Amino acid sequence: MKVQMRVNGRQVSGEVEGRTLLVTFLRDGQGLTGTHTGCDTSQCGACTVHVDGLQVKSCSMFAAEADGAEVTTIEGMANADGSLSVLQQAFQDHHGLQCGFCTPGMVMAAATLLEQTPEPTEAQVRHHLQGNICRCTGYHNIIKAVMAASGQQVTQVAAE
Amino acid sequence: MPKDGIGASTKRREDIRFLTGKGRYTDDINLHGQAYVHFLRADVAHATLNGIETQDAASMPGVLRVFTATDFDGVGGLPCGWQITDRKGQPMQEPKHPIMAEGKIRHVGEIVAAVVAETLDQARDAAEAIVLDYDELPAVIDMKAAVQEDAPRVHDDLTSNLCYDWGFVEENKAAVDEAFLAADHVTTLELVNNRLVANPMEPRVAIGDYAAHDDSSTLYTTSQNPHVIRLLMGAFVLGIPEHKLRVVAPDVGGGFGTKIFHYAEEAFCTFAAKQLKRPVKWTSTRSEAFMSDAHGRDHVTKIQLALDAENNFTALRTDTYANMGAYLSTFAPSVPTWLHGTLMAGNYRTPLIYVNVKAVFTNTVPVDAYRGAGRPEATFQLERVIDKAARELGVDPAELRRQNFIRKDQFPYATPVAVEYDTGDYEATLNKALELSDYAGFANRHAESQARGKLRGIGLAHYIEACGIAPSNLVGQLGARAGLYESATVRVNATGGIVVMTGSHSHGQGHETSFPQVIAQMIGIEPDQVEIVHGDTANTPMGMGTYGSRSIAVGGSAMVRATEKIISKAKKIAAHILEASDADIELKDGKFSVAGTDKSLNWGDVTLAAYVPHNYPLTDLEPGLEETAFYDPSNFTYPSGCYICEVEIDPDTGKVTIERFTAADDFGNVINPMIVEGQVQGGVAQGIGQALLENCTYDSEGQLLSASYMDYAMPRASDVPMITVDHSCQTPCTHNPLGVKGCGEAGAIGSPPAVINAVLDAMHRAGKPVAHIDMPVTPAKVWAAMNA
Amino acid sequence: MYNFDFVKPSTVEEAVAALQDDEAQPLSGGQTLIPSMKQRLNAPGTLVSLLGIEALKGISVSDGVMTIGGTTTHATVAAQADAYPALAYLAGQIGDPAVRNRGTIGGSLANNDPAACYPAAALASGATIVTNTREIAADDFFQGMFTTDLEEGEIITAVKFPIPEAANYQKFEQPASRFALTAVFVAKYADGVRVAITGASEEGVFRWAEAEDALSNSFSAEALSALAVPANDMITDLHGTAEYRAHLCKVLTGRAVSAIS
């Protein structure tokens, strides 16, 4: 079957099977390999993207279900001039990533949090990132990055 | 001086690509004409494999070929890189480790057949049509049962399930036993170091490619050490000479040890690509990863500490059963022996130590190095038994440790377990951790928790680790079948920019940022003039890769040595142009000057002269500015530190929450503090995971019970606290040029005993004196222990 | 996973018609179904997405009853079920934000995972499960783990929750899956208290009758002191024994009651 959607502002279409997952459509069909697959039980969140503005796990949604949707992936998160967005920049500034594999999902998840809760508490950040597993950072610097991106002074919340 | 030289928390340049989705991980690579493999894996732990019917599968749509063990004529088994010699001087028992099950299935997840097809779904569909004819055998899972006379054999051609019975130091055994007889107090503890799965977030991937025009093979793989894979796979498995084999490990999404090893899937994809003349790709699912990535830890130990009347440690002895799984993974035999027994002195002056390790084959996934590898197992038992001794003797656990520390003035210090610590100051890290954790204020916090009906406890642990592995001649004597040097080629381009080709590999450690800081410091240019290349055997010198916290200590040292050669040559060029003697040339802030004069040349003037050698000492000096160094360390490095954990326990549910965690480490000199702190935080989180959450469990029939993230509890954001880290206590390494020790594993080594000591302290303070609870300390276990 | 045909009807009638095919299965949020299909544990010939049916979405309140459309997501309930705060809270504790944006109340109830959150709320609230053909009382709906009273091809169109005077949900998470290791929903109505427990029993969600009686008599944690949930039907697994779960039933019920009182 044929599906079409807007991905990062660009209209795309492609032929998919019923079983084609959204993550497969994005990675293999569109070459958007920034979205990663880290598990097969909807736990790790490396595949997190936005569909119609909502954070979803693209490994737990069929491409067919996103027909007609507005999809944003990590490739669509930078500023229009290509520079890092405030959130992405905060991840770099606060060393919120190491191997980088979970990072796209973390950024997509955190972006939704900041939209809903512009100044989250540490506990709110941790709760919101419940479905995104990072094995490298111990979360410490991810939490700092997200809070810093919200304009909060992170030295006051984080152990230094 | 460059603003981002040694000691600067330079932001990571690699982050830009990772944050914008431009990373290039192995699964992001798709080659023209690529086929896909699906591995049919055993779903029983132990069985005689009578036959495999593949005909139906082979005729299914899209199938290119179905492979079974009989298709690997002339292909060797996966080699083991370390041979252990047992107590009687005999070599360990070393079974063949075939790419696919040969005649027998030995663990759930073992590859039985492989289907290569045009699409992954076709391969998987066809795999369902394969019929296995097998007779199930009783499985051996429990190590102590496995070494019984009448236990079923994992390998019929071995004399038992015992891989080796290792004693260290065997000559000390009698003296140790005597010291125990003479002891005033003996503390005994039996414990389990739980089996873990490393779980880097990127599952393993392998893509084999074959070029008929020059008969060469390329493997793209998620590896921490592409050269090691090339050597092992080329020389021992597939018989491909190294000049016809290229191994590429591009961006790798975390390793933690489990991506060191050479795996069957890598050899298969390379082999099948050549057979089929098509690229063959395999991407592990997480479910496959749980039953095919080498697991970690899995020791069962009895440890005893002898003390005299003044509470001095007089002797230590341990008996450990170490699970090898069904086959010997690449470095498995070294983990419970040389990476474990040699660390049993810890930070203490214990004069007599004897370590016994029985390595056992079981019908489980092979076990090998996982972050820390042997050192966490050593540290856990030692720091637990010391805490138990302190409790039994009624002394402060911090003070009992302090009393028995190797003192600052005793370095270099030769331990009774064959290693010589070069530097250290254990009191300094203890004092720093006590200060940062507000140890003195604990009573107030305890009272506050108590008022809320909660238990609160504080626990500390010291650690020492041997990293920066390793002196090749020494490890050769110990059974290593490899050298453990590292390499670097420093290529200075005509216009002054530098490319460093390193044998180290970065899979999260940030080498692309920290390595240039070193060169920038040495030459006096900005780090952005330096680019790091790694991960491709085609364009890096033979190197041993990244594990054992060795990259900066060994790989960084190689880079320093190569850069020293560059500077030395550049000075000669400068001397020629400036018409001075080389000895008078000084390099500072990227400028060559003649001492005591105002004559100088810029870095770029000299590099240009090296490649446009018009005014150049051609009779004495080759043109060009490119140097390679192989650095072989003269000793291990010995990072150490003190970790303090404070927990609260909900007595109604048994749930433990970590309220505070402090890590005071001595890593020697530090190149990029930001990266170092990140390494510690991540390591601590993995240690907390081991202590509270993670457990890889089999049932008695060898079925893996914790086979996905639905049952294997990974630490999430809400499970880990903010972690206070400090690395201001620095006793630089004395034998490498940077004075660095390595920081990658420390967090995972020091944290589990600190957590468990804190949990037991909380229970003790609440009048529930529980001697020990095995990890992970789940709410159910805590509740059961408190209500026993 | 096995391949299948995907259809997305826009009315209940079309969906029901599509589900007449023996090999057809409904697809709601898919947060449980899709992972099980990846393991090839489930092989529908056709998946009938219910998410295109506008009539199945949304929350309304009238006469003290909150009606939630069958494909209303957990995130929507968490954000919009203001009139039933304990239910909104429960919805906000399911899975993680991404799962809550896809997972639906109808899907959760129809699946009846023994560790899912929603069954506890439905049973404790004495909810009515509305399908395309009938209304089923929650007490009749849940029939043991992964088993419900639904017929093949029957679709949950809405769930009606009588809004209690007060209610509270206490979830103790299984540390890996973050489903309930044990969780308790206590709802206090004018005519009595209902207590439903999920995650604990081999039989799936259940009501703790003794606690309901005691609490209806005297709504305080102390009223539970002499009671105990028998451990014999409780689940024992990697994460906790039957005894531990039985213990948690009581602890969490007490906490829910204390939170309300």
Side-chain angles (χ1 to χ4, degrees):
Chain A
M1 61 190 293
K2 193 177 175 187
V3 296
Q4 51 182 349
M5 57 191 89
R6 278 179 76 79
V7 180
N8 301 329
R10 196 167 56 91
Q11 191 68 32
V12 304
S13 63
E15 198 63 35
V16 299
E17 292 184 317
R19 62 182 164 184
T20 306
L21 295 167
L22 178 58
V23 65
T24 312
F25 178 78
L26 293 170
R27 286 180 57 82
D28 296 354
Q30 303 303 314
L32 295 169
T33 54
T35 302
H36 299 147
T37 304
C39 78
D40 44 12
T41 51
S42 307
Q43 299 280 329
C44 83
C47 65
T48 304
V49 301
H50 297 170
V51 173
D52 290 332
L54 297 177
Q55 158 190 354
V56 303
K57 293 183 174 175
S58 61
C59 79
S60 299
M61 180 172 176
F62 296 113
E65 295 182 276
D67 189 29
E70 185 84 39
V71 176
T72 308
T73 69
I74 188 67
E75 288 90 347
M77 293 299 279
N79 296 325
D81 65 358
S83 60
L84 297 184
S85 66
V86 170
L87 178 59
Q88 289 168 317
Q89 188 60 55
F91 269 75
Q92 188 195 26
D93 290 348
H94 295 276
H95 190 29
L97 62 151
Q98 291 182 24
C99 83
F101 195 80
C102 77
T103 307
M106 284 288 176
V107 170
M108 300 311 288
T112 317
L113 170 68
L114 296 182
E115 243 166 60
Q116 296 163 354
T117 313
E119 279 201 17
T121 62
E122 181 190 328
Q124 284 174 318
V125 179
R126 290 184 186 276
H127 182 69
H128 190 88
L129 297 179
Q130 194 78 331
N132 292 80
I133 301 177
C134 171
R135 192 56 153 170
C136 292
T137 63
Y139 303 98
H140 184 110
N141 286 337
I142 292 176
I143 308 299
K144 278 174 77 171
V146 176
M147 296 190 75
S150 75
Q152 302 186 68
Q153 268 292 340
V154 292
T155 49
Q156 287 163 15
V157 298
E160 284 292 350
Chain B
M1 274 299 109
K3 65 179 181 346
D4 284 329
I6 290 175
S9 283
T10 307
K11 291 178 202 171
R12 298 200 328 168
R13 57 176 74 175
E14 48 270 76
D15 289 357
I16 307 294
R17 69 175 184 274
F18 295 139
L19 280 162
T20 53
K22 301 290 193 296
R24 187 166 180 265
Y25 299 88
T26 310
D27 193 41
D28 301 339
I29 298 170
N30 291 298
L31 302 178
H32 182 68
Q34 168 179 293
Y36 296 81
V37 59
H38 174 77
F39 293 107
L40 180 65
R41 295 179 184 275
D43 58 6
V44 296
H46 200 191
T48 305
L49 191 53
N50 305 317
I52 306 177
E53 181 48 67
T54 61
Q55 219 162 11
D56 289 351
S59 62
M60 284 182 61
V63 173
L64 298 169
R65 194 179 301 177
V66 182
F67 293 81
T68 65
T70 54
D71 294 304
F72 297 95
D73 257 2
V75 171
L78 303 172
C80 178
W82 205 299
Q83 185 183 64
I84 296 300
T85 303
D86 76 6
R87 293 174 65 190
K88 295 176 182 144
Q90 297 302 307
M92 66 185 188
Q93 296 206 79
E94 190 172 356
K96 185 181 179 189
H97 187 176
I99 289 179
M100 290 183 195
E102 282 180 1
K104 221 179 156 188
I105 289 166
R106 295 189 175 85
H107 68 84
V108 167
E110 183 169 13
I111 300 172
V112 180
V115 182
V116 181
E118 297 289 347
T119 72
L120 183 58
D121 285 317
Q122 287 171 333
R124 199 161 174 195
D125 288 343
E128 291 190 359
I130 295 173
V131 182
L132 300 183
D133 173 10
Y134 62 82
D135 293 315
E136 206 168 340
L137 298 166
V140 281
I141 306 302
D142 180 76
M143 285 189 277
K144 289 183 181 172
V147 295
Q148 299 303 310
E149 241 350 75
D150 55 350
R153 297 267 171 82
V154 178
H155 296 276
D156 301 325
D157 52 339
L158 302 186
T159 58
S160 70
N161 291 321
L162 188 64
C163 176
Y164 55 75
D165 178 4
W166 184 74
F168 185 66
V169 175
E170 194 61 28
E171 293 70 29
N172 291 350
K173 187 173 188 307
V176 169
D177 289 344
E178 270 173 43
F180 269 87
L181 291 173
D184 289 284
H185 185 86
V186 173
T187 297
T188 302
L189 181 59
E190 295 190 41
L191 48 80
V192 172
N193 203 292
N194 42 327
R195 180 184 275 240
L196 303 175
V197 183
N199 273 304
M201 292 319 298
E202 177 203 30
R204 289 189 295 120
V205 182
I207 309 170
D209 190 22
Y210 176 73
H213 67 89
D214 63 356
D215 186 33
S216 71
S217 295
T218 301
L219 168 69
Y220 300 87
T221 184
T222 49
S223 176
Q224 300 174 217
N225 30 245
H227 277 284
V228 175
I229 302 305
R230 185 177 70 161
L231 179 61
L232 295 178
M233 184 174 78
F236 296 94
V237 186
L238 299 180
I240 304 174
E242 283 161 282
H243 62 281
K244 291 291 186 190
L245 180 58
R246 175 183 171 202
V247 176
V248 185
D251 285 332
V252 172
F256 313 115
T258 206
K259 290 177 182 168
I260 297 171
F261 322 121
H262 177 38
Y263 286 98
E265 296 88 354
E266 295 172 321
F268 176 83
C269 289
T270 309
F271 176 82
K274 188 170 181 177
Q275 296 275 311
L276 297 167
K277 310 282 186 285
R278 298 263 306 259
V280 174
K281 182 174 188 174
W282 170 70
T283 301
S284 176
T285 64
R286 183 61 59 184
S287 298
E288 275 183 292
F290 271 101
M291 55 182 170
S292 66
D293 288 7
H295 294 172
R297 315 279 193 263
D298 204 353
H299 286 194
V300 175
T301 293
K302 178 181 174 185
I303 181 168
Q304 293 186 293
L305 178 65
L307 300 96
D308 67 15
E310 282 77 47
N311 297 341
N312 296 307
F313 303 163
T314 56
L316 183 81
R317 67 184 170 202
T318 73
D319 285 295
T320 289
Y321 289 82
N323 207 333
M324 294 288 101
Y327 298 100
L328 292 178
S329 174
T330 313
F331 290 111
S334 67
V335 175
T337 49
W338 300 112
L339 294 174
H340 165 252
T342 51
L343 275 300
M344 284 313 307
N347 310 66
Y348 310 100
R349 296 190 309 271
T350 319
L352 286 162
I353 297 175
Y354 179 72
V355 177
N356 179 255
V357 178
K358 295 180 180 69
V360 182
F361 293 111
T362 60
N363 292 113
T364 63
V365 171
V367 180
D368 204 329
Y370 164 59
R371 201 172 194 167
R375 290 149 289 172
E377 295 90 321
T379 303
F380 183 71
Q381 49 182 293
L382 183 59
E383 293 298 311
R384 281 288 304 116
V385 82
I386 292 172
D387 238 54
K388 185 162 185 266
R391 185 94 55 217
E392 289 171 357
L393 295 166
V395 298
D396 184 299
E399 295 313 310
L400 181 61
R401 287 177 170 87
R402 191 191 299 274
Q403 176 185 341
N404 284 282
F405 277 154
I406 298 161
R407 290 189 310 271
K408 192 181 174 184
D409 59 8
Q410 291 180 298
F411 293 95
Y413 185 86
T415 74
V417 275
V419 287
E420 183 178 282
Y421 302 161
D422 57 345
T423 57
D425 184 353
Y426 306 145
E427 282 214 69
T429 50
L430 173 61
N431 292 337
K432 178 58 77 176
L434 292 174
E435 173 204 327
L436 291 174
S437 67
D438 187 22
Y439 197 74
F442 174 76
N444 289 338
R445 295 190 296 277
H446 179 263
E448 191 274 329
S449 293
Q450 208 170 23
R452 284 186 288 109
K454 305 283 197 236
L455 281 51
R456 197 176 187 103
I458 192 162
L460 70 89
H462 270 262
Y463 76 89
I464 175 95
E465 58 162 327
C467 51
I469 53 177
S472 294
N473 54 1
L474 172 64
V475 297
Q477 290 166 25
L478 304 182
R481 291 163 169 163
L484 284 167
Y485 50 82
E486 196 46 88
S487 65
T489 295
V490 175
R491 175 181 295 162
V492 184
N493 293 313
T495 53
I498 295 174
V499 180
V500 179
M501 288 146 276
T502 170
S504 295
H505 187 277
S506 181
H507 29 279
Q509 295 88 341
H511 297 171
E512 289 168 55
T513 300
S514 59
F515 279 27
Q517 291 180 244
V518 174
I519 293 201
Q521 180 89 24
M522 291 178 72
I523 298 176
I525 55 176
E526 292 302 325
D528 62 7
Q529 295 298 299
V530 184
E531 203 70 27
I532 302 297
V533 172
H534 66 88
D536 185 344
T537 59
N539 56 22
T540 56
M542 171 71 184
M544 298 308 290
T546 287
Y547 42 83
S549 306
R550 70 193 299 273
S551 292
I552 199 67
V554 191
S557 295
M559 182 177 69
V560 168
R561 291 283 182 253
T563 307
E564 285 168 353
K565 293 187 195 177
I566 291 284
I567 291 171
S568 167
K569 183 172 180 181
K571 281 183 175 174
K572 290 193 174 87
I573 301 169
H576 176 88
I577 299 170
L578 294 169
E579 298 176 335
S581 153
D582 331 342
D584 293 335
I585 301 292
E586 291 172 347
L587 172 61
K588 191 163 180 271
D589 295 341
K591 224 180 204 36
F592 296 90
S593 53
V594 182
T597 74
D598 60 356
K599 292 204 292 184
S600 71
L601 279 175
N602 288 325
W603 170 250
D605 299 329
V606 174
T607 63
L608 188 64
Y611 291 95
V612 187
H614 297 162
N615 179 12
Y616 195 91
L618 283 166
T619 49
D620 302 323
L621 210 58
E622 294 172 7
L625 203 48
E626 174 167 330
E627 298 288 349
T628 295
F630 283 72
Y631 178 83
D632 203 282
S634 60
N635 190 358
F636 295 87
T637 61
Y638 300 94
S640 62
C642 178
Y643 288 6
I644 297 184
C645 177
E646 208 166 309
V647 300
E648 205 170 74
I649 301 176
D650 176 351
D652 293 336
T653 62
K655 187 174 170 64
V656 176
T657 49
I658 308 235
E659 298 296 317
R660 299 161 75 97
F661 199 102
T662 306
D665 294 289
D666 175 0
F667 295 133
N669 294 333
V670 164
I671 308 300
N672 183 320
M674 176 193 81
I675 288 175
V676 166
E677 288 165 16
Q679 289 290 311
V680 175
Q681 290 153 356
V684 167
Q686 288 185 358
I688 288 173
Q690 169 164 32
L692 296 184
L693 296 162
E694 298 177 39
N695 201 24
C696 178
T697 314
Y698 286 88
D699 70 10
S700 60
E701 294 180 346
Q703 290 297 328
L704 183 58
L705 299 177
S706 51
S708 78
Y709 290 152
M710 296 298 279
D711 282 304
Y712 188 92
M714 292 284 281
R716 312 275 183 122
S718 52
D719 298 319
V720 189
M722 285 298 186
I723 297 159
T724 302
V725 294
D726 179 272
H727 45 80
S728 64
C729 302
Q730 299 182 345
T731 61
C733 171
T734 56
H735 57 79
N736 66 42
L738 292 167
V740 293
K741 295 185 171 183
C743 65
E745 296 161 296
I749 294 170
S751 53
V755 174
I756 302 306
N757 287 342
V759 169
L760 297 173
D761 180 65
M763 294 169 73
H764 187 85
R765 287 172 195 273
K768 302 276 183 188
V770 175
H772 182 69
I773 306 178
D774 276 324
M775 301 185 289
V777 178
T778 61
K781 278 194 205 167
V782 173
W783 177 78
M786 288 184 44
N787 293 281
Chain C
M1 66 185 81
Y2 300 108
N3 204 9
F4 56 85
D5 292 326
F6 177 86
V7 295
K8 194 172 178 182
S10 55
T11 68
V12 173
E13 292 69 29
E14 286 166 16
V16 169
L19 286 166
Q20 293 309 303
D21 179 343
D22 278 352
E23 299 204 335
Q25 281 185 35
L27 169 68
S28 194
Q31 300 302 284
T32 303
L33 180 62
I34 294 174
S36 79
M37 289 174 66
K38 286 182 193 172
Q39 303 295 327
R40 298 199 162 199
L41 299 173
N42 206 314
T46 302
L47 274 188
V48 181
S49 170
L50 305 180
L51 300 187
I53 306 171
E54 283 305 314
L56 298 185
K57 294 177 186 168
I59 301 173
S60 63
V61 178
S62 88
D63 295 339
V65 173
M66 175 175 283
T67 302
I68 302 179
T71 63
T72 309
T73 63
H74 311 326
T76 303
V77 175
Q80 296 177 19
D82 304 342
Y84 195 166
L87 187 65
Y89 170 80
L90 172 145
Q93 300 303 307
I94 300 172
D96 58 61
V99 167
R100 292 195 286 274
N101 281 330
R102 295 292 300 167
T104 68
I105 188 168
S108 172
L109 294 176
N111 189 47
N112 193 19
D113 187 302
C117 294
Y118 264 131
L123 192 58
S125 306
T128 300
I129 288 85
V130 184
T131 75
N132 55 309
T133 58
R134 57 185 172 144
E135 297 201 346
I136 311 168
D139 284 311
D140 302 323
F141 182 82
F142 302 106
Q143 301 193 344
M145 58 166 74
F146 298 111
T147 311
T148 70
D149 193 44
L150 289 174
E151 305 284 343
E152 283 296 313
E154 191 173 3
I155 297 169
I156 296 176
T157 54
V159 188
K160 294 187 197 169
F161 290 91
I163 299 173
E165 291 170 1
N168 189 267
Y169 183 60
Q170 293 285 330
K171 179 180 181 182
F172 194 81
E173 285 181 345
Q174 193 260 52
S177 69
R178 312 283 158 154
F179 274 66
L181 183 74
T182 292
V184 177
F185 199 101
V186 173
K188 184 170 184 277
Y189 290 91
D191 60 351
V193 176
R194 290 173 68 107
V195 177
I197 300 178
T198 187
S201 169
E202 296 278 4
E203 304 300 317
V205 67
F206 69 99
R207 285 173 66 186
W208 186 12
E210 292 81 2
E212 291 183 352
D213 290 345
L215 293 169
S216 298
N217 204 23
S218 162
F219 194 78
S220 68
E222 291 73 49
L224 301 167
S225 59
L227 305 182
V229 175
N232 44 347
D233 289 336
M234 299 285 116
I235 296 168
T236 288
D237 63 11
L238 293 180
H239 309 287
T241 58
E243 291 71 27
Y244 180 62
R245 282 186 164 84
H247 168 75
L248 282 182
C249 291
K250 182 169 171 175
V251 168
L252 298 174
T253 305
R255 287 185 179 179
V257 171
S258 299
I260 295 170
S261 327

